[in-house]
Amino acid sequence: MKHFAATMQQALALLARPRPNLSFPLRFSSLSQITEPKSQNPSPDLLKKLYKYRFNATEKKRYVDKPSHMVGIFTIWYENHPCNRYLPGLINKVKEGVRNAESFGFTYNMFGVNDAISMKSRDLIADTIETVMGEQWYDANISITCDANIVGAIMAMGRLNRPSIMVYGGTRKVYADYFSGSMSDDDIIQNSCPEARACGGTYTANTMACAIEAMGMTLPYSSSRSGANWLKLAECYSAGAYLEILIKLGLEPRDIITKKSLRNAMVVVMALGGSTSAVLHLIAIARSVDLELTLDDFQEVSDEVPLLVDLNPSGEHVMEDLHKIGGTPAVMRYLLEQGFLDGDCLTVSGLPLEVLAKFADRLPEGQQIIRPIKDPIKSTAHIQIFYGNIAPEGSVANINGKEGLYFSGPALIFEGEESMLAAISENTMSFKGKVIVIRGEGPKGGPGMPEMLTATSAIMGAGLEKDVALLTDGRFSGDLRGYFVGHICPEAQDGGPIGLVQNGDIITIDVRKRRVDVQLTDEELAERKKKWVAPQYKALSGVLYKYIKNVQPASRGCVTV
C-alpha cells in the first residue's frame, strides 16, 4: 500500500503553492515570550542551544545555531489495560523523529482508566496536557493515544492551539485473525488477550481514531493501521517532520478543527457505524475550540449519510479488514467523491483533504466490506437523536434497522447497572416485554457516565434483544442490536423525567418519530417532581465530588470547563 505521498519533497512542493485561503499568519514559537529577555537565567533559548550542542557532539556533527523547537511528547499509558499497555513502545520512535527534524522532544506519561468504567479521566488528561504544555512553554505537541484518552488529548490541543499531531496506537491484529478463522476458540482461551492494542471493532477507540483522522488531526492511515504493522513505527517517526511543517506554516489545531472538519468527522462515524460515544466526544472537542456542536447537528448528518460498513461488534468485519482494502483514507476518498466530505479542510500533513485523497488507494473492485452508496446497509445512519417527555433535552440511540420501528411496554426500574444485572441473572424471563430503565448512571449520577456494556451484553446473551427495550442516562459503546436509548437528558441526578418514572408506567419508543415517551401527562410529571428528592451524590469529597460539581450534561459533551 503506497503512502499518501511518495516523498517528503513532494509534500513540501505542494505546500509551496500559493494558498490564498489561509487565514492564519506565520507565527513565532510559543517560547518567544520568554526566550528573548536575558533576564531569564538560563533562558529556554539558551537551553535549546545547549541541547543542540550536546546532541550534535554526540552525533559528531558540527554545531549550527539555527531555529529549533521544544516538543512535548505525551503518551497515555497504564499497564493493566491492553488498549494502552504498549504505547510507551512508540515513544522512542516519535522522539527519534523529532530529533531528526532538529527539534527536541520531551516525553511525559499520562495516566488513564478504562473508558468502560468512567469518562472522568478524559477531562483530567486534557487538563494535565494543557498544564504541562503551558507551564513548560513547549512549542508543539505529539500525543500517542488510545481509547477515550484520544479525546482528552485532542481537547488539550484545541485549548492550547499550538501545532499538534495525534498518533493513534492502532487496532489489534489478533482480532482479525480470530474472525477470519485462522485463530480458534482454543487459541483465544489459551492466549487470553495475547496482543495489546485497541479492540478490532468500532468501539470508542477505533471510532474516535477514524473521526479524528477525518477531522485532520492525524496522519493518513493512523486510525485503521494495526499497531503491530511496522508502518506504525514509520508513522511515529514521520510525526516529527510533519510537526516541523506545521510550525513553519503556523498551522494550529483551530485552523484544522473547524465546523466543516467536525462535520467530516461525523460523516465518517455515520458511514462506518461508529460508537454512539462519538456524539458526546465530538461535542466536547468542538467546545475545546469554542465551536458549538449540538445533538441536532448529528441528526442532520445522520439523515444525509447512509450506513455503509458492517463492522464488528454488530457486523462481521474488523478494522484490519478495512485497512486491507485501503483503510480510512480509501473510505474518505470514496465519501469525498460521492460529495459527503468537504475537501477544503486542512490536515496535520499541511495539505487539504482533497489533496490527500488523491494519494489514497481507491476501494478495490469486488470488495465486500464497504457497500456502494446505491446499496447501503441502511439508507440513513444508525445514530439517531430521540426526544420526548422522558428526554426533553435529547438522547442518543443506535438504530441499525434490525430491531423494528416501535416498542411499548411497562417500565422496570433499576437504580444503577449492578441491580439490573443481579435481577436478570435471577429471573431472565421476567424481563420479557419490559422497558428496562437504568438510571443514576449519568455524568453526575455515575459519576462519569459509565458504559452500560455489561447490561447490553446480558440482554443479548439472554436472547432478549428483540423482546425488551433499555433506557439509561448512562451511555453505550458496543454490540447494540435492539431498542437501546442512552444519554438521556436531563439525567436522573438532576431531576430529569427519567428519575420520575415508576415501575409499571407504560413507555413507548417510536423510531419513525424519534421519540421516547412515558404515558403520563405534563401535570402528572409535575406532581411527581414536587415529591422528588434528589439522590445523594455517590461521592462527597475528593476528585469525584469535584467532577460532579463541574461536569455538564451529556448533550453538552460532559465537559468540565
Side-chain angles (χ1 to χ4, degrees):
M1 183 183 298
K2 64 176 180 292
H3 195 259
F4 74 95
T7 64
M8 177 68 76
Q9 285 72 28
Q10 286 179 306
L12 289 170
L14 287 166
L15 285 170
R17 298 179 307 168
R19 302 172 71 187
N21 293 328
L22 294 182
S23 60
F24 50 88
L26 296 181
R27 301 176 175 94
F28 293 105
S29 78
S30 304
L31 279 166
S32 63
Q33 297 180 44
I34 59 173
T35 58
E36 295 298 331
K38 293 187 182 295
S39 59
Q40 300 289 335
N41 186 26
S43 72
D45 190 48
L46 182 60
L47 287 175
K48 286 195 291 186
K49 291 177 181 179
L50 176 60
Y51 292 138
K52 178 166 283 191
Y53 176 79
R54 292 180 62 185
F55 164 66
N56 287 342
T58 302
E59 300 293 324
K60 297 182 179 179
K61 295 179 180 178
R62 185 171 63 87
Y63 171 71
V64 178
D65 183 12
K66 65 179 184 179
S68 58
H69 305 95
M70 299 175 76
V71 179
I73 303 173
F74 296 84
T75 182
I76 293 99
W77 172 83
Y78 47 110
E79 191 174 18
N80 68 326
H81 192 261
C83 191
N84 299 271
R85 184 186 305 148
Y86 72 103
L87 295 182
L90 303 179
I91 294 175
N92 288 339
K93 190 58 66 173
V94 172
K95 190 171 183 179
E96 185 182 339
V98 169
R99 187 176 65 183
N100 188 64
E102 299 193 344
S103 285
F104 306 104
F106 297 90
T107 59
Y108 284 82
N109 178 59
M110 278 297 306
F111 67 91
V113 296
N114 188 342
D115 185 45
I117 299 172
S118 173
M119 202 169 55
K120 295 181 291 294
S121 64
R122 184 197 73 180
D123 284 50
L124 286 173
I125 287 165
D127 293 347
T128 307
I129 293 176
E130 181 184 4
T131 300
V132 173
M133 286 289 299
E135 294 299 320
Q136 296 299 124
W137 290 88
Y138 291 147
D139 299 287
N141 170 24
I142 298 175
S143 289
I144 310 166
T145 67
C146 186
D147 216 21
N149 306 331
I150 293 169
V151 186
I154 296 293
M155 289 168 63
M157 293 174 186
R159 294 179 194 171
L160 287 159
N161 202 35
R162 297 179 189 176
S164 302
I165 293 177
M166 191 196 87
V167 175
Y168 177 48
T171 187
R172 202 177 297 166
K173 187 178 184 299
V174 70
Y175 218 73
D177 293 337
Y178 176 70
F179 273 85
S180 68
S182 61
M183 179 174 281
S184 68
D185 288 346
D186 288 340
D187 292 330
I188 293 294
I189 292 169
Q190 294 172 21
N191 302 279
S192 181
C193 282
E195 182 184 19
R197 300 174 184 91
C199 298
T202 47
Y203 297 90
T204 300
N206 283 329
T207 295
M208 292 313 302
C210 291
I212 289 165
E213 182 169 333
M215 193 188 301
M217 288 300 295
T218 70
L219 294 173
Y221 300 101
S222 185
S223 61
S224 57
R225 180 182 290 131
S226 165
N229 190 319
W230 69 269
L231 285 172
K232 180 59 69 176
L233 292 178
E235 175 191 340
C236 291
Y237 184 82
S238 66
Y242 282 102
L243 195 64
E244 286 298 306
I245 293 175
L246 297 181
I247 293 171
K248 289 174 183 176
L249 286 174
L251 184 55
E252 296 171 340
R254 294 190 181 209
D255 303 309
I256 296 171
I257 305 173
T258 64
K259 195 75 172 179
K260 289 181 179 180
S261 72
L262 285 163
R263 189 183 186 283
N264 283 348
M266 287 190 281
V267 167
V268 168
V269 168
M270 300 297 182
L272 293 180
S275 167
T276 52
S277 289
V279 176
L280 57 88
H281 287 321
L282 287 174
I283 290 173
I285 291 170
R287 297 196 66 191
S288 76
V289 294
D290 298 327
L291 294 174
E292 189 74 16
L293 201 61
T294 68
L295 294 179
D296 293 339
D297 292 325
F298 284 87
Q299 188 60 58
E300 180 182 336
V301 174
S302 180
D303 289 342
E304 297 174 3
V305 178
L307 176 59
L308 299 177
V309 188
D310 197 22
L311 286 174
N312 180 270
S314 59
E316 59 180 299
H317 301 292
V318 292
M319 192 58 66
E320 179 75 4
D321 298 325
L322 184 68
H323 190 68
K324 288 176 181 177
I325 62 166
T328 308
V331 175
M332 290 167 60
R333 176 171 184 163
Y334 181 64
L335 292 171
L336 184 64
E337 291 173 344
Q338 298 298 318
F340 289 105
L341 297 180
D342 191 315
D344 291 334
C345 295
L346 294 167
T347 70
V348 293
S349 69
L351 304 174
L353 182 61
E354 62 181 348
V355 175
L356 285 184
K358 294 178 182 178
F359 293 106
D361 293 323
R362 289 185 182 275
L363 294 171
E365 293 289 336
Q367 61 82 25
Q368 300 295 314
I369 298 173
I370 308 295
R371 299 281 285 272
I373 296 293
K374 294 181 180 179
D375 184 28
I377 296 170
K378 187 170 175 280
S379 60
T380 57
H382 60 300
I383 293 178
Q384 299 288 308
I385 306 302
F386 284 17
Y387 290 93
N389 67 355
I390 289 182
E393 295 178 11
S395 63
V396 181
N398 185 325
I399 304 297
N400 58 27
K402 301 174 184 177
E403 57 282 298
L405 298 173
Y406 187 87
F407 191 96
S408 182
L412 187 59
I413 308 296
F414 296 97
E415 307 294 341
E417 183 184 35
E418 290 79 7
S419 59
M420 177 269 182
L421 294 173
I424 199 171
S425 64
E426 290 181 4
N427 189 352
T428 300
M429 297 314 296
S430 67
F431 281 66
K432 194 170 184 178
K434 305 290 178 59
V435 178
I436 304 164
V437 178
I438 301 178
R439 62 194 184 194
E441 299 285 15
K444 293 182 180 179
M449 205 178 179
E451 291 177 359
M452 301 294 101
L453 185 58
T454 308
T456 57
S457 296
I459 289 169
M460 288 181 289
L464 292 174
E465 62 265 29
K466 294 183 179 180
D467 299 314
V468 302
L470 171 61
L471 308 182
T472 181
D473 50 9
R475 62 193 172 98
F476 306 116
S477 182
D479 193 356
L480 302 180
R481 290 171 289 175
Y483 298 93
F484 298 148
V485 183
H487 302 214
I488 288 179
C489 292
E491 63 172 298
Q493 185 71 52
D494 280 339
I498 188 174
L500 308 178
V501 178
Q502 299 175 1
N503 281 316
D505 289 343
I506 301 301
I507 296 175
T508 61
I509 300 172
D510 192 321
V511 175
R512 286 195 182 95
K513 295 180 180 179
R514 297 197 296 270
R515 288 192 64 87
V516 52
D517 293 287
V518 59
Q519 292 183 10
L520 295 171
T521 65
D522 291 343
E523 291 74 20
E524 288 172 317
L525 284 170
E527 190 61 31
R528 289 188 184 182
K529 183 64 180 288
K530 291 178 182 178
K531 301 175 183 178
W532 175 79
V533 177
Q536 180 174 306
Y537 291 148
K538 292 177 183 175
L540 298 176
S541 63
V543 68
L544 295 183
Y545 181 71
K546 181 164 52 175
Y547 182 85
I548 290 168
K549 298 300 286 185
N550 286 281
V551 69
Q552 296 190 33
S555 59
R556 299 281 292 166
C558 297
V559 296
T560 54
V561 294

